[in-house]
Amino acid sequence: MASAPANTLPIFYNDLIPLSSLDHADFRSKAVDSAPFLTSQHAIPLTIDEFVSAQRFVPIIFSAGADSVPLALMGLNEGVNIFVDEDGKLRGPAYVPAYVRRYPWMLAKLRPDTDELSLCFDPTSPAIGAFEDGQPLFEDGKPSELTQGVLKFCEDFEQAAARTGQFVRELQDMDLLMDGEVAIQTPGNEQPFVYRGFRMINEEKLRDLRGDQLRKINQSGMLPLIHAHLFSLQLMRDIFEAQVNLGKGPIPQPAVPQPAEA
């Protein structure tokens, strides 16, 4: 169903260049009311800071593989996002992950020999450029209030991502993650639609935690996050039904013929 992005550049980003007061002195940012890059993305990285808000709208799962990350499912099938239309505009109430709201900005290392992060942006984005209108990125050669706000948002996102990484590592240390599977039975179809390729909390192991372990994850704030994830999984069927209503449901597989008895 979903795996951690494996490309050199993170999803959505076509290129990344550092913001420069020299090269981009006359650049401006303008508001956009759509996100076309989101239309074909069904699984979006999510930080633990967003679990409580996101779980009201989307299932929260963990990607398969060793470096598991939380993902917000905006569709159950590859290439399907039920929350935006073909132009990338929201269809209605939704939770938009911070990962999406951050685009086209990002903090990135410019050199492998340093941990210093620089504010970069995707130059292919229509939101940033040498426009006549829009909010300036620099004023008198210094970052504008807008740019300072963007930098703060990106810094907060990186800190949340670090907390999220620690959260997942602790789940793995306690062996609480397991391979997930969801089967959805629909009228008129003999076989259920089965979704795999993701990870989820093992509720049985969660119930069997020792008292000291349970106290630890409760005091650290992990327990409410675990429950938010588990509650959100109930939305799987809602997302499935929304796909079907949009004509984007999965294609039923023909029943396997049984061999005739001799």
Side-chain angles (χ1 to χ4, degrees):
M1 177 186 287
S3 300
N7 297 332
T8 302
L9 286 171
I11 59 171
F12 302 159
Y13 294 84
N14 299 307
D15 193 7
L16 272 178
I17 60 175
L19 182 66
S20 165
S21 60
L22 297 177
D23 298 334
H24 310 119
D26 59 346
F27 271 38
R28 294 175 177 267
S29 174
K30 62 181 181 181
V32 294
D33 61 355
S34 64
F37 56 84
L38 194 55
T39 58
S40 61
Q41 295 291 342
H42 77 297
I44 311 298
L46 198 70
T47 70
I48 57 173
D49 294 33
E50 306 173 85
F51 274 28
V52 174
S53 297
Q55 58 94 22
R56 297 171 50 227
F57 296 93
V58 293
I60 300 170
I61 62 167
F62 296 86
S63 63
D67 297 323
S68 194
V69 297
L71 298 169
L73 280 186
M74 304 187 82
L76 297 191
N77 292 83
E78 295 280 349
V80 177
N81 187 323
I82 67 162
F83 291 94
V84 295
D85 61 20
E86 289 74 12
D87 298 321
K89 294 185 178 181
L90 287 174
R91 298 182 186 274
Y95 180 79
V96 180
Y99 187 98
V100 178
R101 290 180 274 126
R102 178 184 62 162
Y103 182 83
W105 300 97
M106 182 180 177
L107 287 175
K109 286 199 300 184
L110 299 182
R111 300 186 325 191
D113 59 343
T114 177
D115 290 331
E116 183 178 349
L117 299 176
S118 299
L119 183 61
C120 301
F121 68 96
D122 184 346
T124 69
S125 168
I128 300 175
F131 311 131
E132 292 184 0
D133 56 351
Q135 295 180 270
L137 300 183
F138 293 96
E139 293 175 335
D140 299 324
K142 296 181 180 179
S144 66
E145 185 175 343
L146 169 71
T147 301
Q148 294 177 46
V150 167
L151 178 60
K152 177 68 164 56
F153 184 90
C154 290
E155 288 174 341
D156 290 346
F157 181 87
E158 291 298 323
Q159 292 169 8
R163 290 191 291 272
T164 302
Q166 180 61 34
F167 170 73
V168 174
R169 284 190 292 273
E170 292 186 20
L171 291 179
Q172 292 171 329
D173 289 345
M174 290 185 288
D175 196 28
L176 286 178
L177 287 178
M178 70 176 187
D179 292 337
E181 178 178 305
V182 173
I184 299 177
Q185 185 71 57
T186 58
N189 290 307
E190 185 176 329
Q191 298 295 325
F193 293 98
V194 179
Y195 291 92
R196 301 186 182 93
F198 66 100
R199 309 202 79 194
M200 59 185 285
I201 296 291
N202 186 323
E203 292 190 70
E204 184 176 344
K205 288 188 176 181
L206 180 63
R207 287 192 295 267
D208 290 341
L209 284 179
R210 300 192 313 268
D212 60 324
Q213 292 176 311
L214 191 59
R215 191 181 314 110
K216 176 183 176 182
I217 65 173
N218 184 42
Q219 292 176 341
S220 68
M222 289 180 65
L223 196 55
L225 301 174
I226 290 172
H227 287 152
H229 150 69
L230 291 172
F231 291 150
S232 76
L233 296 179
Q234 299 176 22
L235 295 172
M236 288 280 200
R237 178 171 286 275
D238 294 344
I239 300 293
F240 180 89
E241 291 177 353
Q243 285 189 188
V244 172
N245 293 336
L246 290 171
K248 297 181 178 181
I251 300 173
Q253 296 297 315
V256 178
Q258 299 298 317
E261 294 184 4

